Amino acid sequence: MGEVGNAGLLVRKVASVAHLSAEERAALERLPMSIRSIPARQDIVRVGDRPSQCCLVLAGFAFRYKLIGEGRRQILNFHVPGDIPDLQSLHLPVIDHNLAALTPLTAGFIRHDAVHEVSARFPRITGALWRNTLVDAAILRERVVSIGQRDGLSRTAHFLCEMAKRLVAVDLAPGLVLPMPITQVEIADALGLSPVHVNRMVRELRERRLIALDGQRLEILDWDALARLGDFDATFLHLQADERPRLP
Amino acid sequence: MGEVGNAGLLVRKVASVAHLSAEERAALERLPMSIRSIPARQDIVRVGDRPSQCCLVLAGFAFRYKLIGEGRRQILNFHVPGDIPDLQSLHLPVIDHNLAALTPLTAGFIRHDAVHEVSARFPRITGALWRNTLVDAAILRERVVSIGQRDGLSRTAHFLCEMAKRLVAVDLAPGLVLPMPITQVEIADALGLSPVHVNRMVRELRERRLIALDGQRLEILDWDALARLGDFDATFLHLQADERPRLP
DNA sequence: CGCTGGGTTGATGGAGCTCAAGGCCAGTGG
DNA sequence: CCACTGGCCTTGAGCTCCATCAACCCAGCG
């Protein structure tokens, strides 16, 4: 239940995709943001809500999902620090899916009207935020391709490559060792596979010496082979130059 | 190779989602738009392109797709008159998927700089366009859910419901009879099923007296049953009041 | 020290893929 | 007028990937 807080990450993320001016960055920094800690697995926003704020992930992972009849769940995306998972609520008032903390989460909440106001004064901030939602959509497109066309092994490899790139982009991956606090059940729900099958696919990737994965930590042992297997091409992440430091 | 042309549809579509003022509508109408006819199956924009304009569908259907190794294709979405399939290119300069005409197409091309200019003068137009891209993302989310969680029959039913609602929203569906110039192969590539299986699913829906479908024309015989089978809830389309005239 | 949440493994079956062939129809050209 | 062609739809048969069911293991924890 925090106070106006550190918007550094917001600036870093938003600014990096649009090369904003110092004045624009300052305006972002000044956005009032209330910081809250949220326990793992707790919902933040639910289907049908009409939130008046949006949520910046500061530390920990979040995820978005939809439930359908008979206890099935589709995870739409995972979110890492720097993401604003529900930015779309700025212009789609009724939320059509759930947002929850995956790990214990530190999140900053920013009121819509504050965003609208900054956005009105600085059109390039509007563009940067808009772009953010467009990248989210691009990730979804690639997810559709994965689930629709790739087999289990390739799909799993692709997913790990995607998470790796995204974590590297926010400097959370020292070398090719990544925090990956995602259970196999959650990976399964994200990839449209059964947990049992995900387990087998992970085992296969391990046996091929492509990865080491233990539920908290993913180490990529052979990036090239993993990317080839997953048919991974990072174009869809639309990373800017300053967002792709490492990784081939 | 047309001239400055009829932007009525643009206004109708964009304005309907944001209740724009007369002045704002007029600004949209004045956007220079060059009209072109495009033969069926021809690409309009390709992966890697950096278009300087975006494309408003005036008549006919378009679709977006990605190709992956070994001749597999995932269709991401179909587009009906009123849609602006590549609006995202406004802020994501490099195109990450292909856009093609499904049927013979009439499309209006509007230069990015013209859009940016109008958008700078009228923040609510920005909002309306942004919202457009967000609805596109919402449709993608629901597609992920379909492909990831629903079986073939339910997936097919859901897809037909979605297309029906979208066509009704642009007044292209007199009663529950819809133009549906989509081959079964294309439906298959959109739903992540094989063409053979789509054929069987369509047959099943026909035998259950839920639909009549002949490759040009879909008639929905029992909306309630079809929606129930497809687990269809139109919330994700984020239709405004003036976009949902008919259908229960 | 029992419990719980996650991971792991085996066995079985089914939804959906692939391969293959044939039918229907519209368009085309002789 | 009719043979021919190419799309598209349709149907059958066999097979495979992956879901499901059912254990069991292990570590952390109250």
Side-chain angles (χ1 to χ4, degrees):
Chain A
M1 245 34 88
E3 264 312 285
V4 170
N6 163 24
L9 248 177
L10 177 63
V11 176
R12 192 199 181 299
K13 177 78 175 193
V14 173
S16 75
V17 300
H19 310 290
L20 300 183
S21 70
E23 187 188 5
E24 288 158 338
R25 282 158 190 269
L28 281 175
E29 298 257 17
R30 261 182 277 106
L31 272 178
M33 181 166 78
S34 88
I35 307 220
R36 261 174 41 207
S37 290
I38 297 157
R41 267 74 192 183
Q42 186 169 101
D43 281 341
I44 301 169
V45 183
R46 287 214 186 80
V47 169
D49 285 358
R50 296 171 151 271
S52 58
Q53 54 189 7
C54 46
C55 166
L56 167 67
V57 176
L58 294 170
F61 282 40
F63 70 109
R64 297 186 293 157
Y65 65 98
K66 280 193 175 190
L67 297 174
I68 73 168
E70 298 329 303
R72 302 189 68 90
R73 171 179 70 165
Q74 176 67 43
I75 292 183
L76 299 163
N77 204 355
F78 297 99
H79 291 282
V80 304
D83 287 353
I84 312 174
D86 61 347
L87 189 50
Q88 35 134 21
S89 61
L90 267 188
H91 291 282
L92 291 183
V94 178
I95 291 290
D96 62 11
H97 60 276
N98 304 292
L99 169 64
L102 182 68
T103 64
L105 193 73
T106 310
F109 291 88
I110 308 171
R111 296 192 51 78
H112 284 173
D113 44 23
V115 179
H116 283 303
E117 191 203 315
V118 169
S119 170
R121 275 189 296 132
F122 300 101
R124 291 174 56 208
I125 289 182
T126 311
L129 294 173
W130 189 347
R131 188 180 192 286
N132 236 275
T133 64
L134 293 173
V135 170
D136 189 72
I139 293 173
L140 276 170
R141 282 195 291 274
E142 193 63 26
R143 187 69 37 94
V144 169
V145 173
S146 248
I147 301 180
Q149 303 298 332
R150 297 194 244 264
D151 66 21
L153 192 61
S154 172
R155 212 182 291 181
T156 308
H158 189 280
F159 171 73
L160 296 176
C161 288
E162 175 197 320
M163 292 308 293
K165 277 280 190 188
R166 290 173 59 195
L167 287 166
V168 166
V170 287
D171 274 335
L172 280 172
L176 283 177
V177 179
L178 329 163
M180 186 69 67
I182 308 181
T183 68
Q184 293 184 356
V185 172
E186 286 148 356
I187 297 178
D189 282 350
L191 300 185
L193 296 171
S194 72
V196 172
H197 202 61
V198 166
N199 184 279
R200 295 195 226 273
M201 297 302 99
V202 168
R203 182 192 359 167
E204 172 84 20
L205 295 176
R206 250 197 295 258
E207 282 170 358
R208 294 197 192 184
R209 311 266 156 199
L210 303 186
I211 63 165
L213 175 65
D214 75 352
Q216 285 301 316
R217 198 180 137 282
L218 165 69
E219 181 171 1
I220 294 183
L221 304 175
D222 186 342
W223 171 267
D224 289 342
L226 191 66
R228 211 174 319 116
L229 183 60
D231 181 37
F232 182 83
D233 172 352
T235 308
F236 74 95
L237 289 172
H238 296 273
L239 297 172
Q240 311 285 83
D242 59 345
E243 284 181 300
R244 15 188 164 84
R246 275 175 274 288
L247 283 188
Chain B
M1 238 34 87
E3 261 316 284
V4 170
N6 162 24
L9 247 175
L10 178 63
V11 176
R12 191 199 181 298
K13 176 78 174 193
V14 173
S16 74
V17 301
H19 310 290
L20 300 183
S21 71
E23 188 188 6
E24 288 158 338
R25 283 158 191 268
L28 282 175
E29 298 256 17
R30 260 183 278 108
L31 272 177
M33 182 166 77
S34 87
I35 306 215
R36 261 174 41 205
S37 291
I38 297 158
R41 267 76 195 182
Q42 185 170 100
D43 281 342
I44 300 170
V45 183
R46 287 214 185 82
V47 168
D49 286 357
R50 296 171 150 272
S52 57
Q53 53 189 7
C54 46
C55 165
L56 168 66
V57 177
L58 293 170
F61 281 41
F63 70 109
R64 297 185 292 157
Y65 66 98
K66 279 192 176 191
L67 296 175
I68 72 169
E70 298 329 303
R72 302 188 67 89
R73 171 179 72 163
Q74 177 67 43
I75 292 183
L76 299 163
N77 204 354
F78 297 99
H79 292 280
V80 303
D83 286 353
I84 312 174
D86 60 347
L87 189 50
Q88 35 133 23
S89 60
L90 268 188
H91 290 283
L92 292 182
V94 178
I95 292 290
D96 63 10
H97 60 276
N98 304 292
L99 168 64
L102 182 68
T103 64
L105 194 73
T106 309
F109 291 87
I110 308 170
R111 295 192 51 78
H112 284 173
D113 43 25
V115 179
H116 283 304
E117 192 203 316
V118 169
S119 169
R121 275 189 296 133
F122 300 101
R124 292 174 57 210
I125 289 182
T126 311
L129 293 173
W130 188 348
R131 187 180 192 285
N132 235 275
T133 64
L134 293 173
V135 171
D136 189 74
I139 292 174
L140 276 171
R141 283 195 291 274
E142 193 63 26
R143 187 69 37 94
V144 169
V145 173
S146 249
I147 301 180
Q149 303 297 331
R150 298 194 243 264
D151 65 23
L153 192 62
S154 173
R155 212 182 292 182
T156 309
H158 189 280
F159 170 73
L160 296 176
C161 288
E162 176 197 320
M163 291 308 293
K165 277 281 190 188
R166 289 173 59 194
L167 287 166
V168 166
V170 288
D171 274 335
L172 281 171
L176 282 175
V177 179
L178 329 163
M180 186 69 69
I182 308 180
T183 68
Q184 293 185 357
V185 172
E186 286 147 357
I187 297 178
D189 283 349
L191 300 185
L193 296 171
S194 72
V196 172
H197 202 59
V198 166
N199 184 278
R200 294 195 226 275
M201 297 303 99
V202 168
R203 186 202 342 177
E204 171 83 19
L205 294 176
R206 249 195 296 258
E207 282 170 358
R208 293 196 192 184
R209 311 264 155 201
L210 303 186
I211 63 165
L213 175 64
D214 75 352
Q216 285 299 317
R217 197 178 137 284
L218 165 68
E219 181 171 2
I220 295 184
L221 303 174
D222 186 341
W223 171 266
D224 289 343
L226 191 66
R228 210 174 319 115
L229 183 60
D231 181 37
F232 183 82
D233 172 351
T235 308
F236 74 95
L237 289 173
H238 297 273
L239 297 173
Q240 311 284 80
D242 58 346
E243 285 181 299
R244 14 187 165 85
R246 277 173 273 287
L247 283 188

